[in-house]
Structures are given as structure tokens and as C-alpha cells.
Amino acid sequence: RKVNPVVKLLQDLHLILPPRQHHIHHVSPHEEYYCITNGWMNPVLERINFWRRMESIIVAVTGSVPRADDFSWCDITPPGHK
């Protein structure tokens, strides 16, 4: 797919999220690289386990388990699931 030259420049300058980081965000199990605007903070937040800690707080407060329903919205059944 052809990318607009202005968008390409902004991605190359990391002013908006580059395709590689966007792809990481979309790869199962969808547990990392949540900063999808420019990606600058992704490596730092991953290094300090920021997202894991936030998920733990959400589970403690709400009881909702992250990604528990990931496959309920698509036709894919992961191995070992029925």
C-alpha cells in the first residue's frame, strides 16, 4: 500500500507511529507497545513493566482479566481453546 509522503516523513521522524511499532502493537498476544500515537515511550514503559502493573491494578479493582475475550470477536480459535 502506498503511504502518503507526508505521513511517511512523519513516521520516519517518529512524530507519528512507525509501521514496525504499529505492527508490534497488533501481534498476538497484544501485551505490549500500547502507546500508539508516536511510540516514543513504548520501550521505556515496557522496560519498567508499566502495562503489566496497570493491568494488575485493573484486575484488582474490576476483576476483569486483560485479553480474556480476545477471541470472542473473531473467527479464530487459538490452539488449546474450544
Side-chain angles (χ1 to χ4, degrees), residues 18-50:
R20 182 176 174 277
Q21 286 195 12
H22 190 206
H23 175 75
I24 292 170
H25 169 75
H26 282 281
V27 172
S28 184
H30 312 288
E31 295 177 331
E32 59 186 352
Y33 279 56
Y34 289 102
C35 292
I36 58 169
T37 52
N38 60 35
W40 295 345
M41 290 300 297
N42 279 319
V44 173
L45 295 174
E46 291 300 323
R47 202 169 301 123
I48 65 170
N49 289 314
F50 177 82

mmCIF file of all heavy atoms in Angstrom, residues 18-50:
data_model
loop_
_atom_site.group_PDB
_atom_site.id
_atom_site.type_symbol
_atom_site.label_atom_id
_atom_site.label_comp_id
_atom_site.label_asym_id
_atom_site.label_seq_id
_atom_site.Cartn_x
_atom_site.Cartn_y
_atom_site.Cartn_z
ATOM 1 N N PRO A 18 5.654 4.651 13.679
ATOM 2 C CA PRO A 18 6.175 3.960 12.508
ATOM 3 C C PRO A 18 5.486 2.603 12.329
ATOM 4 O O PRO A 18 5.031 2.003 13.305
ATOM 5 C CB PRO A 18 7.664 3.764 12.810
ATOM 6 C CG PRO A 18 7.950 4.502 14.058
ATOM 7 C CD PRO A 18 6.648 4.808 14.721
ATOM 8 N N PRO A 19 5.415 2.108 11.102
ATOM 9 C CA PRO A 19 4.722 0.841 10.837
ATOM 10 C C PRO A 19 5.224 -0.330 11.690
ATOM 11 O O PRO A 19 4.431 -1.152 12.140
ATOM 12 C CB PRO A 19 4.993 0.582 9.358
ATOM 13 C CG PRO A 19 5.284 1.912 8.775
ATOM 14 C CD PRO A 19 5.930 2.712 9.874
ATOM 15 N N ARG A 20 6.522 -0.433 11.909
ATOM 16 C CA ARG A 20 7.058 -1.564 12.675
ATOM 17 C C ARG A 20 6.490 -1.594 14.096
ATOM 18 O O ARG A 20 6.101 -2.646 14.603
ATOM 19 C CB ARG A 20 8.581 -1.500 12.728
ATOM 20 C CG ARG A 20 9.192 -2.676 13.457
ATOM 21 C CD ARG A 20 10.727 -2.627 13.404
ATOM 22 N NE ARG A 20 11.279 -3.683 14.215
ATOM 23 C CZ ARG A 20 11.455 -3.618 15.533
ATOM 24 N NH1 ARG A 20 11.114 -2.528 16.188
ATOM 25 N NH2 ARG A 20 11.959 -4.626 16.194
ATOM 26 N N GLN A 21 6.431 -0.436 14.748
ATOM 27 C CA GLN A 21 5.886 -0.393 16.108
ATOM 28 C C GLN A 21 4.380 -0.618 16.094
ATOM 29 O O GLN A 21 3.833 -1.232 17.007
ATOM 30 C CB GLN A 21 6.243 0.916 16.795
ATOM 31 C CG GLN A 21 7.686 0.955 17.202
ATOM 32 C CD GLN A 21 7.963 2.073 18.189
ATOM 33 O OE1 GLN A 21 7.063 2.690 18.745
ATOM 34 N NE2 GLN A 21 9.228 2.325 18.426
ATOM 35 N N HIS A 22 3.704 -0.128 15.081
ATOM 36 C CA HIS A 22 2.272 -0.366 14.971
ATOM 37 C C HIS A 22 2.004 -1.865 14.831
ATOM 38 O O HIS A 22 1.094 -2.411 15.449
ATOM 39 C CB HIS A 22 1.709 0.402 13.781
ATOM 40 C CG HIS A 22 0.223 0.409 13.728
ATOM 41 N ND1 HIS A 22 -0.465 0.564 12.564
ATOM 42 C CD2 HIS A 22 -0.710 0.272 14.700
ATOM 43 C CE1 HIS A 22 -1.772 0.517 12.815
ATOM 44 N NE2 HIS A 22 -1.941 0.342 14.110
ATOM 45 N N HIS A 23 2.832 -2.539 14.057
ATOM 46 C CA HIS A 23 2.695 -3.978 13.880
ATOM 47 C C HIS A 23 2.890 -4.719 15.209
ATOM 48 O O HIS A 23 2.119 -5.627 15.531
ATOM 49 C CB HIS A 23 3.704 -4.479 12.838
ATOM 50 C CG HIS A 23 3.705 -5.965 12.691
ATOM 51 N ND1 HIS A 23 2.700 -6.633 12.030
ATOM 52 C CD2 HIS A 23 4.563 -6.899 13.138
ATOM 53 C CE1 HIS A 23 2.952 -7.934 12.079
ATOM 54 N NE2 HIS A 23 4.081 -8.117 12.745
ATOM 55 N N ILE A 24 3.892 -4.338 15.983
ATOM 56 C CA ILE A 24 4.145 -4.974 17.278
ATOM 57 C C ILE A 24 2.898 -4.872 18.160
ATOM 58 O O ILE A 24 2.512 -5.827 18.829
ATOM 59 C CB ILE A 24 5.362 -4.342 17.990
ATOM 60 C CG1 ILE A 24 6.644 -4.668 17.222
ATOM 61 C CG2 ILE A 24 5.471 -4.807 19.440
ATOM 62 C CD1 ILE A 24 7.864 -3.893 17.692
ATOM 63 N N HIS A 25 2.249 -3.723 18.110
ATOM 64 C CA HIS A 25 1.040 -3.494 18.901
ATOM 65 C C HIS A 25 -0.078 -4.473 18.514
ATOM 66 O O HIS A 25 -0.883 -4.857 19.344
ATOM 67 C CB HIS A 25 0.583 -2.047 18.699
ATOM 68 C CG HIS A 25 -0.776 -1.746 19.226
ATOM 69 N ND1 HIS A 25 -1.030 -1.599 20.576
ATOM 70 C CD2 HIS A 25 -1.952 -1.567 18.593
ATOM 71 C CE1 HIS A 25 -2.310 -1.335 20.735
ATOM 72 N NE2 HIS A 25 -2.886 -1.313 19.558
ATOM 73 N N HIS A 26 -0.118 -4.893 17.268
ATOM 74 C CA HIS A 26 -1.205 -5.752 16.777
ATOM 75 C C HIS A 26 -0.887 -7.238 16.781
ATOM 76 O O HIS A 26 -1.722 -8.046 16.389
ATOM 77 C CB HIS A 26 -1.613 -5.326 15.362
ATOM 78 C CG HIS A 26 -2.465 -4.115 15.356
ATOM 79 N ND1 HIS A 26 -3.814 -4.148 15.646
ATOM 80 C CD2 HIS A 26 -2.165 -2.816 15.138
ATOM 81 C CE1 HIS A 26 -4.303 -2.928 15.589
ATOM 82 N NE2 HIS A 26 -3.326 -2.094 15.289
ATOM 83 N N VAL A 27 0.294 -7.632 17.198
ATOM 84 C CA VAL A 27 0.669 -9.043 17.200
ATOM 85 C C VAL A 27 0.200 -9.705 18.488
ATOM 86 O O VAL A 27 0.401 -9.172 19.580
ATOM 87 C CB VAL A 27 2.203 -9.187 17.026
ATOM 88 C CG1 VAL A 27 2.639 -10.631 17.211
ATOM 89 C CG2 VAL A 27 2.623 -8.675 15.658
ATOM 90 N N SER A 28 -0.446 -10.849 18.345
ATOM 91 C CA SER A 28 -0.893 -11.609 19.500
ATOM 92 C C SER A 28 0.319 -11.979 20.359
ATOM 93 O O SER A 28 1.379 -12.262 19.815
ATOM 94 C CB SER A 28 -1.600 -12.870 19.010
ATOM 95 O OG SER A 28 -2.124 -13.598 20.076
ATOM 96 N N PRO A 29 0.226 -11.909 21.637
ATOM 97 C CA PRO A 29 -0.973 -11.818 22.477
ATOM 98 C C PRO A 29 -1.375 -10.392 22.860
ATOM 99 O O PRO A 29 -2.089 -10.211 23.837
ATOM 100 C CB PRO A 29 -0.584 -12.633 23.707
ATOM 101 C CG PRO A 29 0.878 -12.395 23.862
ATOM 102 C CD PRO A 29 1.405 -12.259 22.457
ATOM 103 N N HIS A 30 -0.956 -9.391 22.109
ATOM 104 C CA HIS A 30 -1.378 -7.997 22.335
ATOM 105 C C HIS A 30 -1.056 -7.525 23.754
ATOM 106 O O HIS A 30 -1.892 -6.955 24.438
ATOM 107 C CB HIS A 30 -2.869 -7.823 22.055
ATOM 108 C CG HIS A 30 -3.300 -8.412 20.759
ATOM 109 N ND1 HIS A 30 -2.979 -7.850 19.551
ATOM 110 C CD2 HIS A 30 -3.983 -9.535 20.466
ATOM 111 C CE1 HIS A 30 -3.471 -8.588 18.577
ATOM 112 N NE2 HIS A 30 -4.083 -9.633 19.118
ATOM 113 N N GLU A 31 0.166 -7.760 24.189
ATOM 114 C CA GLU A 31 0.566 -7.427 25.561
ATOM 115 C C GLU A 31 1.588 -6.317 25.645
ATOM 116 O O GLU A 31 2.107 -6.052 26.727
ATOM 117 C CB GLU A 31 1.170 -8.670 26.235
ATOM 118 C CG GLU A 31 0.210 -9.800 26.425
ATOM 119 C CD GLU A 31 0.863 -11.011 27.030
ATOM 120 O OE1 GLU A 31 2.073 -11.216 26.810
ATOM 121 O OE2 GLU A 31 0.167 -11.754 27.725
ATOM 122 N N GLU A 32 1.927 -5.676 24.551
ATOM 123 C CA GLU A 32 2.977 -4.659 24.607
ATOM 124 C C GLU A 32 2.765 -3.576 23.569
ATOM 125 O O GLU A 32 1.931 -3.697 22.691
ATOM 126 C CB GLU A 32 4.349 -5.296 24.435
ATOM 127 C CG GLU A 32 4.513 -6.053 23.131
ATOM 128 C CD GLU A 32 5.821 -6.801 23.058
ATOM 129 O OE1 GLU A 32 6.672 -6.632 23.943
ATOM 130 O OE2 GLU A 32 5.995 -7.555 22.105
ATOM 131 N N TYR A 33 3.533 -2.519 23.731
ATOM 132 C CA TYR A 33 3.520 -1.379 22.818
ATOM 133 C C TYR A 33 2.120 -0.776 22.679
ATOM 134 O O TYR A 33 1.550 -0.704 21.617
ATOM 135 C CB TYR A 33 4.110 -1.767 21.456
ATOM 136 C CG TYR A 33 5.622 -1.756 21.457
ATOM 137 C CD1 TYR A 33 6.323 -2.516 22.381
ATOM 138 C CD2 TYR A 33 6.342 -0.982 20.572
ATOM 139 C CE1 TYR A 33 7.710 -2.513 22.411
ATOM 140 C CE2 TYR A 33 7.729 -0.967 20.594
ATOM 141 C CZ TYR A 33 8.400 -1.736 21.517
ATOM 142 O OH TYR A 33 9.759 -1.722 21.545
ATOM 143 N N TYR A 34 1.590 -0.336 23.802
ATOM 144 C CA TYR A 34 0.271 0.275 23.823
ATOM 145 C C TYR A 34 0.269 1.746 23.398
ATOM 146 O O TYR A 34 -0.780 2.297 23.125
ATOM 147 C CB TYR A 34 -0.337 0.186 25.225
ATOM 148 C CG TYR A 34 -0.757 -1.201 25.635
ATOM 149 C CD1 TYR A 34 0.024 -1.953 26.502
ATOM 150 C CD2 TYR A 34 -1.941 -1.743 25.175
ATOM 151 C CE1 TYR A 34 -0.367 -3.214 26.900
ATOM 152 C CE2 TYR A 34 -2.339 -3.006 25.558
ATOM 153 C CZ TYR A 34 -1.554 -3.735 26.417
ATOM 154 O OH TYR A 34 -1.942 -4.976 26.813
ATOM 155 N N CYS A 35 1.407 2.399 23.409
ATOM 156 C CA CYS A 35 1.471 3.810 23.006
ATOM 157 C C CYS A 35 1.424 3.872 21.482
ATOM 158 O O CYS A 35 2.425 3.672 20.809
ATOM 159 C CB CYS A 35 2.747 4.469 23.504
ATOM 160 S SG CYS A 35 2.803 4.636 25.275
ATOM 161 N N ILE A 36 0.256 4.148 20.953
ATOM 162 C CA ILE A 36 0.090 4.044 19.512
ATOM 163 C C ILE A 36 0.074 5.395 18.788
ATOM 164 O O ILE A 36 -0.202 5.450 17.603
ATOM 165 C CB ILE A 36 -1.172 3.244 19.155
ATOM 166 C CG1 ILE A 36 -2.409 3.888 19.759
ATOM 167 C CG2 ILE A 36 -1.030 1.798 19.605
ATOM 168 C CD1 ILE A 36 -3.704 3.331 19.238
ATOM 169 N N THR A 37 0.397 6.480 19.484
ATOM 170 C CA THR A 37 0.429 7.766 18.787
ATOM 171 C C THR A 37 1.781 8.014 18.134
ATOM 172 O O THR A 37 1.868 8.279 16.954
ATOM 173 C CB THR A 37 0.076 8.938 19.729
ATOM 174 O OG1 THR A 37 0.909 8.865 20.884
ATOM 175 C CG2 THR A 37 -1.378 8.881 20.117
ATOM 176 N N ASN A 38 2.853 7.900 18.928
ATOM 177 C CA ASN A 38 4.177 8.107 18.322
ATOM 178 C C ASN A 38 5.164 7.012 18.704
ATOM 179 O O ASN A 38 6.169 6.837 18.061
ATOM 180 C CB ASN A 38 4.750 9.483 18.662
ATOM 181 C CG ASN A 38 4.923 9.698 20.139
ATOM 182 O OD1 ASN A 38 5.243 8.785 20.874
ATOM 183 N ND2 ASN A 38 4.697 10.917 20.589
ATOM 184 N N GLY A 39 4.893 6.273 19.760
ATOM 185 C CA GLY A 39 5.725 5.136 20.144
ATOM 186 C C GLY A 39 6.980 5.459 20.936
ATOM 187 O O GLY A 39 7.700 4.549 21.330
ATOM 188 N N TRP A 40 7.248 6.714 21.205
ATOM 189 C CA TRP A 40 8.487 7.076 21.900
ATOM 190 C C TRP A 40 8.608 6.395 23.255
ATOM 191 O O TRP A 40 9.684 6.005 23.670
ATOM 192 C CB TRP A 40 8.571 8.571 22.127
ATOM 193 C CG TRP A 40 8.669 9.406 20.897
ATOM 194 C CD1 TRP A 40 8.969 8.984 19.629
ATOM 195 C CD2 TRP A 40 8.479 10.799 20.804
ATOM 196 N NE1 TRP A 40 8.963 10.042 18.766
ATOM 197 C CE2 TRP A 40 8.666 11.180 19.466
ATOM 198 C CE3 TRP A 40 8.160 11.779 21.734
ATOM 199 C CZ2 TRP A 40 8.546 12.483 19.028
ATOM 200 C CZ3 TRP A 40 8.042 13.085 21.299
ATOM 201 C CH2 TRP A 40 8.238 13.425 19.958
ATOM 202 N N MET A 41 7.523 6.298 23.958
ATOM 203 C CA MET A 41 7.567 5.772 25.319
ATOM 204 C C MET A 41 7.459 4.255 25.390
ATOM 205 O O MET A 41 7.666 3.675 26.450
ATOM 206 C CB MET A 41 6.448 6.400 26.156
ATOM 207 C CG MET A 41 6.660 7.869 26.463
ATOM 208 S SD MET A 41 8.173 8.174 27.402
ATOM 209 C CE MET A 41 7.839 7.305 28.915
ATOM 210 N N ASN A 42 7.131 3.586 24.301
ATOM 211 C CA ASN A 42 6.953 2.137 24.344
ATOM 212 C C ASN A 42 8.144 1.398 24.952
ATOM 213 O O ASN A 42 7.959 0.615 25.885
ATOM 214 C CB ASN A 42 6.620 1.581 22.964
ATOM 215 C CG ASN A 42 5.163 1.753 22.624
ATOM 216 O OD1 ASN A 42 4.299 1.565 23.463
ATOM 217 N ND2 ASN A 42 4.888 2.106 21.390
ATOM 218 N N PRO A 43 9.364 1.600 24.490
ATOM 219 C CA PRO A 43 10.491 0.862 25.078
ATOM 220 C C PRO A 43 10.671 1.149 26.577
ATOM 221 O O PRO A 43 10.944 0.233 27.359
ATOM 222 C CB PRO A 43 11.704 1.341 24.280
ATOM 223 C CG PRO A 43 11.144 1.810 22.982
ATOM 224 C CD PRO A 43 9.803 2.385 23.324
ATOM 225 N N VAL A 44 10.486 2.386 26.976
ATOM 226 C CA VAL A 44 10.642 2.760 28.388
ATOM 227 C C VAL A 44 9.554 2.098 29.230
ATOM 228 O O VAL A 44 9.832 1.485 30.268
ATOM 229 C CB VAL A 44 10.589 4.290 28.574
ATOM 230 C CG1 VAL A 44 10.586 4.668 30.043
ATOM 231 C CG2 VAL A 44 11.724 4.952 27.825
ATOM 232 N N LEU A 45 8.312 2.198 28.785
ATOM 233 C CA LEU A 45 7.205 1.624 29.544
ATOM 234 C C LEU A 45 7.297 0.107 29.605
ATOM 235 O O LEU A 45 6.952 -0.497 30.625
ATOM 236 C CB LEU A 45 5.872 2.075 28.953
ATOM 237 C CG LEU A 45 5.604 3.574 29.066
ATOM 238 C CD1 LEU A 45 4.339 3.953 28.319
ATOM 239 C CD2 LEU A 45 5.530 4.017 30.512
ATOM 240 N N GLU A 46 7.764 -0.513 28.530
ATOM 241 C CA GLU A 46 7.964 -1.964 28.543
ATOM 242 C C GLU A 46 9.059 -2.342 29.541
ATOM 243 O O GLU A 46 8.931 -3.306 30.288
ATOM 244 C CB GLU A 46 8.321 -2.477 27.150
ATOM 245 C CG GLU A 46 7.196 -2.401 26.145
ATOM 246 C CD GLU A 46 5.970 -3.205 26.530
ATOM 247 O OE1 GLU A 46 6.119 -4.302 27.102
ATOM 248 O OE2 GLU A 46 4.857 -2.729 26.267
ATOM 249 N N ARG A 47 10.132 -1.584 29.562
ATOM 250 C CA ARG A 47 11.266 -1.878 30.444
ATOM 251 C C ARG A 47 10.882 -1.825 31.923
ATOM 252 O O ARG A 47 11.378 -2.601 32.725
ATOM 253 C CB ARG A 47 12.406 -0.897 30.161
ATOM 254 C CG ARG A 47 13.766 -1.396 30.606
ATOM 255 C CD ARG A 47 14.912 -0.550 30.076
ATOM 256 N NE ARG A 47 14.944 -0.508 28.621
ATOM 257 C CZ ARG A 47 14.892 0.602 27.879
ATOM 258 N NH1 ARG A 47 14.848 1.784 28.453
ATOM 259 N NH2 ARG A 47 14.909 0.542 26.569
ATOM 260 N N ILE A 48 9.997 -0.923 32.285
ATOM 261 C CA ILE A 48 9.608 -0.797 33.694
ATOM 262 C C ILE A 48 8.314 -1.560 34.015
ATOM 263 O O ILE A 48 7.757 -1.415 35.090
ATOM 264 C CB ILE A 48 9.484 0.686 34.119
ATOM 265 C CG1 ILE A 48 8.353 1.387 33.365
ATOM 266 C CG2 ILE A 48 10.817 1.406 33.956
ATOM 267 C CD1 ILE A 48 8.026 2.776 33.896
ATOM 268 N N ASN A 49 7.856 -2.373 33.064
ATOM 269 C CA ASN A 49 6.638 -3.184 33.246
ATOM 270 C C ASN A 49 5.409 -2.340 33.593
ATOM 271 O O ASN A 49 4.547 -2.774 34.356
ATOM 272 C CB ASN A 49 6.850 -4.259 34.310
ATOM 273 C CG ASN A 49 7.769 -5.332 33.822
ATOM 274 O OD1 ASN A 49 7.622 -5.815 32.691
ATOM 275 N ND2 ASN A 49 8.728 -5.706 34.631
ATOM 276 N N PHE A 50 5.350 -1.145 33.034
ATOM 277 C CA PHE A 50 4.232 -0.242 33.315
ATOM 278 C C PHE A 50 2.879 -0.878 32.999
ATOM 279 O O PHE A 50 1.955 -0.835 33.813
ATOM 280 C CB PHE A 50 4.399 1.058 32.516
ATOM 281 C CG PHE A 50 3.261 2.013 32.677
ATOM 282 C CD1 PHE A 50 3.199 2.852 33.776
ATOM 283 C CD2 PHE A 50 2.242 2.074 31.739
ATOM 284 C CE1 PHE A 50 2.150 3.738 33.941
ATOM 285 C CE2 PHE A 50 1.185 2.957 31.887
ATOM 286 C CZ PHE A 50 1.140 3.788 32.991
#
